[in-house]
Amino acid sequence: MVPPVRKPWPRSLKQRLIAQLLVLQLAMLLAFGLSFVSLLVLADEGGVLVSPAPVEKAFDAIRRGPEGKLVLAKTEEMGDVHARHPDFWFIARNDYGETVQVGDIPAIYRGVSENLGRMTYSDIRDAGDPSPYLAVLRRRSNAEGDFTVFGQGELMSQSALILQFSRAPMLVLLALVTVAGVPWIVNRTSRDISTLAIDEATTFHMSRRCSARSFRRARLLSGVPSSTW
């Protein structure tokens, strides 16, 4: 006896509809994300953006030294930063005026470094190659207080930008809503369709019964024998 062939998923019409809608919605979401990233890249001169990764790693290395002063710990991440950028420079200033610095700040940025308390955000990229004056400025907080950090940035590739955008909370939220919302909508719609189909079938059946009764009554009134029906 040949065993029955199992149909690959999805088996039912409802499952196929859910699968097709999910594929469509996720494809549209992916297309929107790629289009948005491409727009960001193309809108930026040169097709690249500045990444704050080295500055973020330097900020994570800020510690309070034995004498109570701020120091930059020699972490593994900082080792990677110095390996990629031998002339890496960085300065951080907290709201109490305490500073910690590593490397030599370029002369064109010394005025900025002396007024960090008045700034909150900036991305700077020069027109040179390999862009020796890339810089980022951010506001960050940790256990040691609130800081304004300013330091050397690096170029962000398009693939890195796409990866970073794909981790955005809004994109994840939209994907979850799509995965959860499409089956719920399809299931609810199928229940409504089933109820409507049952109502229509009941109405049709009752209409046929009424028509049959009317037909018999008309035949009886006309005197046609029932044996000829």
Side-chain angles (χ1 to χ4, degrees):
M1 181 177 179
V2 180
V5 179
R6 299 184 62 183
K7 296 181 180 180
W9 189 89
R11 302 177 184 178
S12 68
L13 177 61
K14 182 173 71 174
Q15 289 176 338
R16 290 198 297 271
L17 181 59
I18 291 175
Q20 292 171 1
L21 287 175
L22 282 176
V23 171
L24 176 62
Q25 293 291 331
L26 293 176
M28 291 176 62
L29 195 60
L30 180 61
F32 168 76
L34 293 177
S35 300
F36 182 74
V37 170
S38 299
L39 179 63
L40 286 179
V41 173
L42 294 176
D44 183 62
E45 297 179 2
V48 289
L49 299 176
V50 181
S51 170
V55 173
E56 300 283 0
K57 292 178 180 179
F59 172 71
D60 292 337
I62 294 178
R63 304 285 189 274
R64 184 72 64 177
E67 299 179 358
K69 296 182 179 181
L70 295 176
V71 296
L72 210 62
K74 296 180 179 180
T75 63
E76 183 178 351
E77 290 77 11
M78 283 303 300
D80 294 337
V81 170
H82 283 293
R84 294 199 312 271
H85 309 286
D87 298 325
F88 177 72
W89 57 271
F90 169 84
I91 184 172
R93 180 184 185 278
N94 64 16
D95 291 346
Y96 300 103
E98 297 177 291
T99 61
V100 57
Q101 178 180 337
V102 62
D104 296 326
I105 300 175
I108 61 173
Y109 291 144
R110 287 174 186 168
V112 176
S113 64
E114 294 172 359
N115 295 275
L116 291 180
R118 304 174 60 183
M119 303 178 186
T120 58
Y121 184 95
S122 180
D123 282 342
I124 306 173
R125 194 186 71 224
D126 69 316
D129 189 14
S131 301
Y133 297 118
L134 288 172
V136 295
L137 188 147
R138 298 287 189 273
R139 284 287 295 176
R140 291 293 181 265
S141 300
N142 63 11
E144 304 302 333
D146 298 324
F147 288 81
T148 301
V149 295
F150 182 51
Q152 182 178 350
E154 63 184 8
L155 295 179
M156 180 183 294
S157 65
Q158 186 171 356
S159 58
L161 182 61
I162 294 174
L163 179 61
Q164 182 174 353
F165 180 79
S166 65
R167 297 175 180 174
M170 182 58 68
L171 192 65
V172 175
L173 179 61
L174 289 175
L176 292 176
V177 169
T178 299
V179 172
V182 169
W184 179 79
I185 293 173
V186 172
N187 288 330
R188 183 175 180 181
T189 304
S190 64
R191 285 196 299 268
D192 294 340
I193 293 176
S194 299
T195 303
L196 180 61
I198 293 173
D199 293 341
E200 290 292 332
T202 302
T203 303
F204 178 73
H205 180 67
M206 293 179 63
S207 299
R208 289 192 60 185
R209 291 182 62 184
C210 292
S211 298
R213 291 175 182 174
S214 299
F215 177 74
R216 293 192 188 96
R217 186 178 299 108
R219 300 281 293 194
L220 289 174
L221 293 175
S222 64
V224 179
S226 59
S227 59
T228 63
W229 294 3

